Amino acid sequence: MTSPIDDLLSVRDYLRFASSQFAASPLFFGHGTDNVWDEAVQLVMRSLNLPLENNTLFLDARLTRQERELVIERIRRRVDERVPLAYLLGEAWFMGMPFHVDERVLVPRSPIGELIENGFQPWLGDKPVERILDLCTGSGCIGIGAASVFTEAEVDLSDISADALEVAESNIELHAVRGRVHTVQSDVFQNIEGRYDVIVSNPPYVDAEDLSSMPDEYRHEPELGLAAGKDGLDIVHRIIASAADHLTPGGLLVVEVGNSWVAMDEAYPDLPLTWLEFENGGDGVFLITEPDLRQWQASV
């Protein structure tokens, strides 16, 4: 991409230029936006530390040369290297909250955020929530999001990856929840102690076929956070096998399996799963209560 740095001067110029470059490229949008314009707005405005809304005041403001160089370089990397926008910015949003992200963690995009915002209702009922486990936490967005809703709860963020937990630690600091949100390095439940009122997990669930055909953008994400064997259920099998022993009576298990939901139904035809529907889109998330999980285990 030839640099137009001396021709483009204003925020408006760079929004138009980014839009044109993205429209002319075979980009895949799956990490926070779903179209050329929103991707351009996110890249330009957040690169300049400007708001995404109520920003018309800045459209004709001129950029310094350093700012122009930064924006052009990020546009170039988005087009030529297919780097997800969140990694270029070092920032992703989840439940209306910003989170630090880089290539040590997946880009937050789970529909579980909508369930958390609704307080896990109506399934939680009047059960008090004192402890929450975010299993396979990555950036920590799900657990920290839950901590923002359940303001008295202790929350553990667990992951096998020490690199991912470093990112999660930075987000604990960002959201000032150090006193009640903690990280635990664990291979699924291996180092998990005690019981939780809610266990929520967005584990690796991409099956071998989908992994081999992913758009280039996803290849920047850590494979450890994506790959889960031939049917996408390697980690989910382990969660189902042990979750009941880590849930309080009446507790909830919420797990995202994405496109592997078909394999999940085939593997567990008698497991009484509730497949959730979301107003803001997304699927492949199931919920099961501790009593139902124990009853099923007793029957198999």
PDB file of all heavy atoms in Angstrom, residues 248-285:
ATOM      1  N   THR A 248     -21.853 -25.465  43.987  1.00  0.00           N
ATOM      2  CA  THR A 248     -22.670 -25.502  45.195  1.00  0.00           C
ATOM      3  C   THR A 248     -24.046 -26.069  44.850  1.00  0.00           C
ATOM      4  O   THR A 248     -24.437 -26.101  43.671  1.00  0.00           O
ATOM      5  CB  THR A 248     -22.834 -24.092  45.783  1.00  0.00           C
ATOM      6  OG1 THR A 248     -23.454 -23.249  44.800  1.00  0.00           O
ATOM      7  CG2 THR A 248     -21.500 -23.504  46.204  1.00  0.00           C
ATOM      8  N   PRO A 249     -24.812 -26.549  45.855  1.00  0.00           N
ATOM      9  CA  PRO A 249     -26.166 -27.025  45.565  1.00  0.00           C
ATOM     10  C   PRO A 249     -26.991 -25.958  44.842  1.00  0.00           C
ATOM     11  O   PRO A 249     -27.058 -24.810  45.273  1.00  0.00           O
ATOM     12  CB  PRO A 249     -26.725 -27.307  46.966  1.00  0.00           C
ATOM     13  CG  PRO A 249     -25.520 -27.648  47.785  1.00  0.00           C
ATOM     14  CD  PRO A 249     -24.436 -26.741  47.268  1.00  0.00           C
ATOM     15  N   GLY A 250     -27.579 -26.338  43.719  1.00  0.00           N
ATOM     16  CA  GLY A 250     -28.368 -25.400  42.936  1.00  0.00           C
ATOM     17  C   GLY A 250     -27.549 -24.491  42.038  1.00  0.00           C
ATOM     18  O   GLY A 250     -28.102 -23.576  41.414  1.00  0.00           O
ATOM     19  N   GLY A 251     -26.242 -24.745  41.962  1.00  0.00           N
ATOM     20  CA  GLY A 251     -25.371 -23.900  41.148  1.00  0.00           C
ATOM     21  C   GLY A 251     -25.596 -24.078  39.656  1.00  0.00           C
ATOM     22  O   GLY A 251     -26.275 -25.007  39.213  1.00  0.00           O
ATOM     23  N   LEU A 252     -24.993 -23.174  38.876  1.00  0.00           N
ATOM     24  CA  LEU A 252     -25.157 -23.174  37.425  1.00  0.00           C
ATOM     25  C   LEU A 252     -23.831 -23.415  36.726  1.00  0.00           C
ATOM     26  O   LEU A 252     -22.790 -22.871  37.134  1.00  0.00           O
ATOM     27  CB  LEU A 252     -25.709 -21.833  36.936  1.00  0.00           C
ATOM     28  CG  LEU A 252     -27.100 -21.393  37.380  1.00  0.00           C
ATOM     29  CD1 LEU A 252     -27.419 -20.040  36.756  1.00  0.00           C
ATOM     30  CD2 LEU A 252     -28.152 -22.416  36.993  1.00  0.00           C
ATOM     31  N   LEU A 253     -23.881 -24.192  35.652  1.00  0.00           N
ATOM     32  CA  LEU A 253     -22.767 -24.345  34.734  1.00  0.00           C
ATOM     33  C   LEU A 253     -23.184 -23.779  33.391  1.00  0.00           C
ATOM     34  O   LEU A 253     -24.195 -24.193  32.819  1.00  0.00           O
ATOM     35  CB  LEU A 253     -22.375 -25.818  34.580  1.00  0.00           C
ATOM     36  CG  LEU A 253     -21.332 -26.128  33.498  1.00  0.00           C
ATOM     37  CD1 LEU A 253     -19.976 -25.518  33.860  1.00  0.00           C
ATOM     38  CD2 LEU A 253     -21.210 -27.642  33.281  1.00  0.00           C
ATOM     39  N   VAL A 254     -22.405 -22.828  32.882  1.00  0.00           N
ATOM     40  CA  VAL A 254     -22.668 -22.205  31.581  1.00  0.00           C
ATOM     41  C   VAL A 254     -21.431 -22.396  30.721  1.00  0.00           C
ATOM     42  O   VAL A 254     -20.326 -22.015  31.124  1.00  0.00           O
ATOM     43  CB  VAL A 254     -22.977 -20.708  31.728  1.00  0.00           C
ATOM     44  CG1 VAL A 254     -23.222 -20.082  30.351  1.00  0.00           C
ATOM     45  CG2 VAL A 254     -24.179 -20.481  32.638  1.00  0.00           C
ATOM     46  N   VAL A 255     -21.605 -22.977  29.527  1.00  0.00           N
ATOM     47  CA  VAL A 255     -20.467 -23.280  28.659  1.00  0.00           C
ATOM     48  C   VAL A 255     -20.797 -22.911  27.220  1.00  0.00           C
ATOM     49  O   VAL A 255     -21.878 -23.235  26.714  1.00  0.00           O
ATOM     50  CB  VAL A 255     -20.076 -24.775  28.727  1.00  0.00           C
ATOM     51  CG1 VAL A 255     -18.853 -25.056  27.853  1.00  0.00           C
ATOM     52  CG2 VAL A 255     -19.806 -25.205  30.162  1.00  0.00           C
ATOM     53  N   GLU A 256     -19.843 -22.262  26.570  1.00  0.00           N
ATOM     54  CA  GLU A 256     -19.978 -21.958  25.142  1.00  0.00           C
ATOM     55  C   GLU A 256     -19.253 -23.019  24.331  1.00  0.00           C
ATOM     56  O   GLU A 256     -18.085 -23.316  24.587  1.00  0.00           O
ATOM     57  CB  GLU A 256     -19.400 -20.569  24.845  1.00  0.00           C
ATOM     58  CG  GLU A 256     -19.519 -20.174  23.380  1.00  0.00           C
ATOM     59  CD  GLU A 256     -19.132 -18.724  23.116  1.00  0.00           C
ATOM     60  OE1 GLU A 256     -18.985 -17.961  24.090  1.00  0.00           O
ATOM     61  OE2 GLU A 256     -18.993 -18.365  21.932  1.00  0.00           O
ATOM     62  N   VAL A 257     -19.932 -23.573  23.332  1.00  0.00           N
ATOM     63  CA  VAL A 257     -19.311 -24.567  22.457  1.00  0.00           C
ATOM     64  C   VAL A 257     -19.403 -24.177  20.983  1.00  0.00           C
ATOM     65  O   VAL A 257     -18.951 -24.929  20.114  1.00  0.00           O
ATOM     66  CB  VAL A 257     -19.917 -25.970  22.672  1.00  0.00           C
ATOM     67  CG1 VAL A 257     -19.644 -26.477  24.080  1.00  0.00           C
ATOM     68  CG2 VAL A 257     -21.412 -25.975  22.387  1.00  0.00           C
ATOM     69  N   GLY A 258     -19.995 -23.022  20.678  1.00  0.00           N
ATOM     70  CA  GLY A 258     -20.030 -22.529  19.304  1.00  0.00           C
ATOM     71  C   GLY A 258     -20.595 -23.529  18.316  1.00  0.00           C
ATOM     72  O   GLY A 258     -21.619 -24.174  18.565  1.00  0.00           O
ATOM     73  N   ASN A 259     -19.890 -23.702  17.198  1.00  0.00           N
ATOM     74  CA  ASN A 259     -20.353 -24.601  16.145  1.00  0.00           C
ATOM     75  C   ASN A 259     -20.323 -26.068  16.548  1.00  0.00           C
ATOM     76  O   ASN A 259     -20.876 -26.919  15.827  1.00  0.00           O
ATOM     77  CB  ASN A 259     -19.503 -24.417  14.883  1.00  0.00           C
ATOM     78  CG  ASN A 259     -19.761 -23.086  14.199  1.00  0.00           C
ATOM     79  OD1 ASN A 259     -20.791 -22.451  14.439  1.00  0.00           O
ATOM     80  ND2 ASN A 259     -18.843 -22.669  13.348  1.00  0.00           N
ATOM     81  N   SER A 260     -19.706 -26.373  17.682  1.00  0.00           N
ATOM     82  CA  SER A 260     -19.643 -27.764  18.137  1.00  0.00           C
ATOM     83  C   SER A 260     -20.898 -28.181  18.896  1.00  0.00           C
ATOM     84  O   SER A 260     -20.933 -29.260  19.496  1.00  0.00           O
ATOM     85  CB  SER A 260     -18.396 -27.975  19.010  1.00  0.00           C
ATOM     86  OG  SER A 260     -17.224 -27.782  18.252  1.00  0.00           O
ATOM     87  N   TRP A 261     -21.950 -27.362  18.842  1.00  0.00           N
ATOM     88  CA  TRP A 261     -23.178 -27.715  19.562  1.00  0.00           C
ATOM     89  C   TRP A 261     -23.819 -28.980  19.003  1.00  0.00           C
ATOM     90  O   TRP A 261     -24.436 -29.756  19.749  1.00  0.00           O
ATOM     91  CB  TRP A 261     -24.164 -26.546  19.545  1.00  0.00           C
ATOM     92  CG  TRP A 261     -24.804 -26.249  18.219  1.00  0.00           C
ATOM     93  CD1 TRP A 261     -24.359 -25.384  17.272  1.00  0.00           C
ATOM     94  CD2 TRP A 261     -26.003 -26.835  17.701  1.00  0.00           C
ATOM     95  NE1 TRP A 261     -25.193 -25.383  16.182  1.00  0.00           N
ATOM     96  CE2 TRP A 261     -26.222 -26.264  16.424  1.00  0.00           C
ATOM     97  CE3 TRP A 261     -26.915 -27.770  18.186  1.00  0.00           C
ATOM     98  CZ2 TRP A 261     -27.302 -26.615  15.626  1.00  0.00           C
ATOM     99  CZ3 TRP A 261     -28.001 -28.123  17.395  1.00  0.00           C
ATOM    100  CH2 TRP A 261     -28.188 -27.546  16.128  1.00  0.00           C
ATOM    101  N   VAL A 262     -23.662 -29.205  17.709  1.00  0.00           N
ATOM    102  CA  VAL A 262     -24.230 -30.423  17.117  1.00  0.00           C
ATOM    103  C   VAL A 262     -23.533 -31.653  17.689  1.00  0.00           C
ATOM    104  O   VAL A 262     -24.181 -32.626  18.103  1.00  0.00           O
ATOM    105  CB  VAL A 262     -24.104 -30.395  15.587  1.00  0.00           C
ATOM    106  CG1 VAL A 262     -24.577 -31.723  14.991  1.00  0.00           C
ATOM    107  CG2 VAL A 262     -24.902 -29.240  15.003  1.00  0.00           C
ATOM    108  N   ALA A 263     -22.200 -31.595  17.756  1.00  0.00           N
ATOM    109  CA  ALA A 263     -21.439 -32.702  18.335  1.00  0.00           C
ATOM    110  C   ALA A 263     -21.784 -32.884  19.807  1.00  0.00           C
ATOM    111  O   ALA A 263     -21.819 -34.012  20.313  1.00  0.00           O
ATOM    112  CB  ALA A 263     -19.941 -32.454  18.163  1.00  0.00           C
ATOM    113  N   MET A 264     -22.066 -31.768  20.499  1.00  0.00           N
ATOM    114  CA  MET A 264     -22.432 -31.833  21.911  1.00  0.00           C
ATOM    115  C   MET A 264     -23.745 -32.581  22.093  1.00  0.00           C
ATOM    116  O   MET A 264     -23.866 -33.458  22.962  1.00  0.00           O
ATOM    117  CB  MET A 264     -22.534 -30.410  22.469  1.00  0.00           C
ATOM    118  CG  MET A 264     -22.764 -30.337  23.966  1.00  0.00           C
ATOM    119  SD  MET A 264     -21.286 -30.778  24.887  1.00  0.00           S
ATOM    120  CE  MET A 264     -21.981 -30.895  26.551  1.00  0.00           C
ATOM    121  N   ASP A 265     -24.723 -32.261  21.304  1.00  0.00           N
ATOM    122  CA  ASP A 265     -26.014 -32.945  21.397  1.00  0.00           C
ATOM    123  C   ASP A 265     -25.883 -34.438  21.072  1.00  0.00           C
ATOM    124  O   ASP A 265     -26.545 -35.280  21.682  1.00  0.00           O
ATOM    125  CB  ASP A 265     -27.023 -32.290  20.453  1.00  0.00           C
ATOM    126  CG  ASP A 265     -27.883 -31.246  21.155  1.00  0.00           C
ATOM    127  OD1 ASP A 265     -27.830 -31.169  22.397  1.00  0.00           O
ATOM    128  OD2 ASP A 265     -28.613 -30.507  20.473  1.00  0.00           O
ATOM    129  N   GLU A 266     -25.026 -34.747  20.113  1.00  0.00           N
ATOM    130  CA  GLU A 266     -24.836 -36.145  19.740  1.00  0.00           C
ATOM    131  C   GLU A 266     -24.098 -36.920  20.825  1.00  0.00           C
ATOM    132  O   GLU A 266     -24.387 -38.095  21.085  1.00  0.00           O
ATOM    133  CB  GLU A 266     -24.070 -36.243  18.417  1.00  0.00           C
ATOM    134  CG  GLU A 266     -24.861 -35.745  17.213  1.00  0.00           C
ATOM    135  CD  GLU A 266     -24.042 -35.744  15.944  1.00  0.00           C
ATOM    136  OE1 GLU A 266     -22.805 -35.983  16.034  1.00  0.00           O
ATOM    137  OE2 GLU A 266     -24.609 -35.505  14.860  1.00  0.00           O
ATOM    138  N   ALA A 267     -23.151 -36.255  21.495  1.00  0.00           N
ATOM    139  CA  ALA A 267     -22.351 -36.920  22.524  1.00  0.00           C
ATOM    140  C   ALA A 267     -23.127 -37.117  23.820  1.00  0.00           C
ATOM    141  O   ALA A 267     -22.856 -38.062  24.573  1.00  0.00           O
ATOM    142  CB  ALA A 267     -21.079 -36.117  22.788  1.00  0.00           C
ATOM    143  N   TYR A 268     -24.080 -36.207  24.084  1.00  0.00           N
ATOM    144  CA  TYR A 268     -24.806 -36.245  25.350  1.00  0.00           C
ATOM    145  C   TYR A 268     -26.319 -36.165  25.096  1.00  0.00           C
ATOM    146  O   TYR A 268     -26.975 -35.208  25.501  1.00  0.00           O
ATOM    147  CB  TYR A 268     -24.369 -35.094  26.247  1.00  0.00           C
ATOM    148  CG  TYR A 268     -22.901 -35.120  26.609  1.00  0.00           C
ATOM    149  CD1 TYR A 268     -21.969 -34.387  25.877  1.00  0.00           C
ATOM    150  CD2 TYR A 268     -22.450 -35.880  27.691  1.00  0.00           C
ATOM    151  CE1 TYR A 268     -20.622 -34.412  26.206  1.00  0.00           C
ATOM    152  CE2 TYR A 268     -21.104 -35.903  28.033  1.00  0.00           C
ATOM    153  CZ  TYR A 268     -20.189 -35.182  27.282  1.00  0.00           C
ATOM    154  OH  TYR A 268     -18.859 -35.208  27.620  1.00  0.00           O
ATOM    155  N   PRO A 269     -26.892 -37.185  24.467  1.00  0.00           N
ATOM    156  CA  PRO A 269     -28.323 -37.102  24.109  1.00  0.00           C
ATOM    157  C   PRO A 269     -29.258 -37.053  25.317  1.00  0.00           C
ATOM    158  O   PRO A 269     -30.381 -36.553  25.201  1.00  0.00           O
ATOM    159  CB  PRO A 269     -28.546 -38.378  23.286  1.00  0.00           C
ATOM    160  CG  PRO A 269     -27.463 -39.317  23.730  1.00  0.00           C
ATOM    161  CD  PRO A 269     -26.284 -38.451  24.004  1.00  0.00           C
ATOM    162  N   ASP A 270     -28.817 -37.565  26.447  1.00  0.00           N
ATOM    163  CA  ASP A 270     -29.683 -37.612  27.627  1.00  0.00           C
ATOM    164  C   ASP A 270     -29.343 -36.549  28.666  1.00  0.00           C
ATOM    165  O   ASP A 270     -29.983 -36.500  29.722  1.00  0.00           O
ATOM    166  CB  ASP A 270     -29.589 -38.996  28.286  1.00  0.00           C
ATOM    167  CG  ASP A 270     -30.035 -40.108  27.352  1.00  0.00           C
ATOM    168  OD1 ASP A 270     -31.036 -39.894  26.634  1.00  0.00           O
ATOM    169  OD2 ASP A 270     -29.371 -41.161  27.323  1.00  0.00           O
ATOM    170  N   LEU A 271     -28.361 -35.703  28.386  1.00  0.00           N
ATOM    171  CA  LEU A 271     -27.987 -34.645  29.321  1.00  0.00           C
ATOM    172  C   LEU A 271     -28.961 -33.478  29.151  1.00  0.00           C
ATOM    173  O   LEU A 271     -29.106 -32.943  28.048  1.00  0.00           O
ATOM    174  CB  LEU A 271     -26.552 -34.179  29.041  1.00  0.00           C
ATOM    175  CG  LEU A 271     -25.927 -33.183  30.017  1.00  0.00           C
ATOM    176  CD1 LEU A 271     -25.837 -33.771  31.421  1.00  0.00           C
ATOM    177  CD2 LEU A 271     -24.538 -32.777  29.522  1.00  0.00           C
ATOM    178  N   PRO A 272     -29.672 -33.078  30.224  1.00  0.00           N
ATOM    179  CA  PRO A 272     -30.709 -32.048  30.078  1.00  0.00           C
ATOM    180  C   PRO A 272     -30.133 -30.637  29.969  1.00  0.00           C
ATOM    181  O   PRO A 272     -30.178 -29.845  30.905  1.00  0.00           O
ATOM    182  CB  PRO A 272     -31.542 -32.220  31.355  1.00  0.00           C
ATOM    183  CG  PRO A 272     -30.586 -32.748  32.370  1.00  0.00           C
ATOM    184  CD  PRO A 272     -29.617 -33.619  31.607  1.00  0.00           C
ATOM    185  N   LEU A 273     -29.618 -30.330  28.797  1.00  0.00           N
ATOM    186  CA  LEU A 273     -29.021 -29.019  28.551  1.00  0.00           C
ATOM    187  C   LEU A 273     -30.090 -28.019  28.134  1.00  0.00           C
ATOM    188  O   LEU A 273     -31.015 -28.355  27.396  1.00  0.00           O
ATOM    189  CB  LEU A 273     -27.965 -29.106  27.444  1.00  0.00           C
ATOM    190  CG  LEU A 273     -26.813 -30.075  27.665  1.00  0.00           C
ATOM    191  CD1 LEU A 273     -25.917 -30.104  26.427  1.00  0.00           C
ATOM    192  CD2 LEU A 273     -26.000 -29.689  28.903  1.00  0.00           C
ATOM    193  N   THR A 274     -29.929 -26.786  28.561  1.00  0.00           N
ATOM    194  CA  THR A 274     -30.730 -25.677  28.056  1.00  0.00           C
ATOM    195  C   THR A 274     -29.866 -24.869  27.101  1.00  0.00           C
ATOM    196  O   THR A 274     -28.843 -24.305  27.505  1.00  0.00           O
ATOM    197  CB  THR A 274     -31.216 -24.767  29.208  1.00  0.00           C
ATOM    198  OG1 THR A 274     -32.057 -25.521  30.084  1.00  0.00           O
ATOM    199  CG2 THR A 274     -31.984 -23.578  28.659  1.00  0.00           C
ATOM    200  N   TRP A 275     -30.254 -24.848  25.819  1.00  0.00           N
ATOM    201  CA  TRP A 275     -29.521 -24.052  24.833  1.00  0.00           C
ATOM    202  C   TRP A 275     -30.091 -22.641  24.830  1.00  0.00           C
ATOM    203  O   TRP A 275     -31.291 -22.452  24.640  1.00  0.00           O
ATOM    204  CB  TRP A 275     -29.616 -24.689  23.449  1.00  0.00           C
ATOM    205  CG  TRP A 275     -28.853 -25.974  23.387  1.00  0.00           C
ATOM    206  CD1 TRP A 275     -29.351 -27.235  23.495  1.00  0.00           C
ATOM    207  CD2 TRP A 275     -27.434 -26.107  23.234  1.00  0.00           C
ATOM    208  NE1 TRP A 275     -28.338 -28.160  23.411  1.00  0.00           N
ATOM    209  CE2 TRP A 275     -27.147 -27.497  23.251  1.00  0.00           C
ATOM    210  CE3 TRP A 275     -26.378 -25.204  23.083  1.00  0.00           C
ATOM    211  CZ2 TRP A 275     -25.847 -27.999  23.123  1.00  0.00           C
ATOM    212  CZ3 TRP A 275     -25.086 -25.699  22.952  1.00  0.00           C
ATOM    213  CH2 TRP A 275     -24.824 -27.065  22.974  1.00  0.00           C
ATOM    214  N   LEU A 276     -29.217 -21.680  25.065  1.00  0.00           N
ATOM    215  CA  LEU A 276     -29.661 -20.306  25.301  1.00  0.00           C
ATOM    216  C   LEU A 276     -29.836 -19.541  23.994  1.00  0.00           C
ATOM    217  O   LEU A 276     -29.117 -19.770  23.012  1.00  0.00           O
ATOM    218  CB  LEU A 276     -28.649 -19.582  26.195  1.00  0.00           C
ATOM    219  CG  LEU A 276     -28.382 -20.251  27.546  1.00  0.00           C
ATOM    220  CD1 LEU A 276     -27.319 -19.476  28.321  1.00  0.00           C
ATOM    221  CD2 LEU A 276     -29.664 -20.343  28.363  1.00  0.00           C
ATOM    222  N   GLU A 277     -30.770 -18.622  23.997  1.00  0.00           N
ATOM    223  CA  GLU A 277     -30.987 -17.704  22.883  1.00  0.00           C
ATOM    224  C   GLU A 277     -30.640 -16.295  23.332  1.00  0.00           C
ATOM    225  O   GLU A 277     -30.882 -15.928  24.493  1.00  0.00           O
ATOM    226  CB  GLU A 277     -32.440 -17.768  22.407  1.00  0.00           C
ATOM    227  CG  GLU A 277     -32.838 -19.135  21.866  1.00  0.00           C
ATOM    228  CD  GLU A 277     -34.265 -19.163  21.369  1.00  0.00           C
ATOM    229  OE1 GLU A 277     -34.948 -18.109  21.458  1.00  0.00           O
ATOM    230  OE2 GLU A 277     -34.704 -20.235  20.897  1.00  0.00           O
ATOM    231  N   PHE A 278     -30.096 -15.504  22.419  1.00  0.00           N
ATOM    232  CA  PHE A 278     -29.602 -14.172  22.762  1.00  0.00           C
ATOM    233  C   PHE A 278     -30.229 -13.120  21.855  1.00  0.00           C
ATOM    234  O   PHE A 278     -30.287 -13.295  20.637  1.00  0.00           O
ATOM    235  CB  PHE A 278     -28.074 -14.123  22.640  1.00  0.00           C
ATOM    236  CG  PHE A 278     -27.364 -15.080  23.549  1.00  0.00           C
ATOM    237  CD1 PHE A 278     -26.968 -16.332  23.087  1.00  0.00           C
ATOM    238  CD2 PHE A 278     -27.106 -14.744  24.867  1.00  0.00           C
ATOM    239  CE1 PHE A 278     -26.321 -17.226  23.926  1.00  0.00           C
ATOM    240  CE2 PHE A 278     -26.463 -15.625  25.710  1.00  0.00           C
ATOM    241  CZ  PHE A 278     -26.071 -16.870  25.245  1.00  0.00           C
ATOM    242  N   GLU A 279     -30.660 -12.034  22.460  1.00  0.00           N
ATOM    243  CA  GLU A 279     -31.266 -10.955  21.691  1.00  0.00           C
ATOM    244  C   GLU A 279     -30.261 -10.297  20.761  1.00  0.00           C
ATOM    245  O   GLU A 279     -30.618  -9.834  19.682  1.00  0.00           O
ATOM    246  CB  GLU A 279     -31.847  -9.900  22.644  1.00  0.00           C
ATOM    247  CG  GLU A 279     -33.069 -10.367  23.419  1.00  0.00           C
ATOM    248  CD  GLU A 279     -33.656  -9.263  24.264  1.00  0.00           C
ATOM    249  OE1 GLU A 279     -33.157  -8.119  24.163  1.00  0.00           O
ATOM    250  OE2 GLU A 279     -34.611  -9.531  25.025  1.00  0.00           O
ATOM    251  N   ASN A 280     -29.008 -10.241  21.169  1.00  0.00           N
ATOM    252  CA  ASN A 280     -27.984  -9.546  20.384  1.00  0.00           C
ATOM    253  C   ASN A 280     -27.180 -10.477  19.484  1.00  0.00           C
ATOM    254  O   ASN A 280     -26.129 -10.090  18.976  1.00  0.00           O
ATOM    255  CB  ASN A 280     -27.044  -8.795  21.334  1.00  0.00           C
ATOM    256  CG  ASN A 280     -27.766  -7.729  22.126  1.00  0.00           C
ATOM    257  OD1 ASN A 280     -28.629  -7.034  21.587  1.00  0.00           O
ATOM    258  ND2 ASN A 280     -27.444  -7.604  23.406  1.00  0.00           N
ATOM    259  N   GLY A 281     -27.673 -11.689  19.289  1.00  0.00           N
ATOM    260  CA  GLY A 281     -27.001 -12.615  18.386  1.00  0.00           C
ATOM    261  C   GLY A 281     -26.041 -13.533  19.114  1.00  0.00           C
ATOM    262  O   GLY A 281     -25.606 -13.266  20.237  1.00  0.00           O
ATOM    263  N   GLY A 282     -25.715 -14.627  18.446  1.00  0.00           N
ATOM    264  CA  GLY A 282     -24.824 -15.615  19.026  1.00  0.00           C
ATOM    265  C   GLY A 282     -25.595 -16.858  19.428  1.00  0.00           C
ATOM    266  O   GLY A 282     -26.782 -16.805  19.748  1.00  0.00           O
ATOM    267  N   ASP A 283     -24.912 -18.001  19.395  1.00  0.00           N
ATOM    268  CA  ASP A 283     -25.535 -19.251  19.792  1.00  0.00           C
ATOM    269  C   ASP A 283     -24.455 -20.214  20.263  1.00  0.00           C
ATOM    270  O   ASP A 283     -23.297 -19.839  20.433  1.00  0.00           O
ATOM    271  CB  ASP A 283     -26.358 -19.855  18.648  1.00  0.00           C
ATOM    272  CG  ASP A 283     -25.558 -20.025  17.363  1.00  0.00           C
ATOM    273  OD1 ASP A 283     -24.305 -20.054  17.435  1.00  0.00           O
ATOM    274  OD2 ASP A 283     -26.161 -20.121  16.288  1.00  0.00           O
ATOM    275  N   GLY A 284     -24.837 -21.471  20.470  1.00  0.00           N
ATOM    276  CA  GLY A 284     -23.866 -22.467  20.897  1.00  0.00           C
ATOM    277  C   GLY A 284     -23.465 -22.341  22.349  1.00  0.00           C
ATOM    278  O   GLY A 284     -22.349 -22.717  22.708  1.00  0.00           O
ATOM    279  N   VAL A 285     -24.370 -21.839  23.206  1.00  0.00           N
ATOM    280  CA  VAL A 285     -24.103 -21.725  24.644  1.00  0.00           C
ATOM    281  C   VAL A 285     -25.159 -22.535  25.388  1.00  0.00           C
ATOM    282  O   VAL A 285     -26.359 -22.342  25.169  1.00  0.00           O
ATOM    283  CB  VAL A 285     -24.144 -20.259  25.124  1.00  0.00           C
ATOM    284  CG1 VAL A 285     -23.912 -20.180  26.637  1.00  0.00           C
ATOM    285  CG2 VAL A 285     -23.111 -19.420  24.381  1.00  0.00           C
TER     286      VAL A 285
END
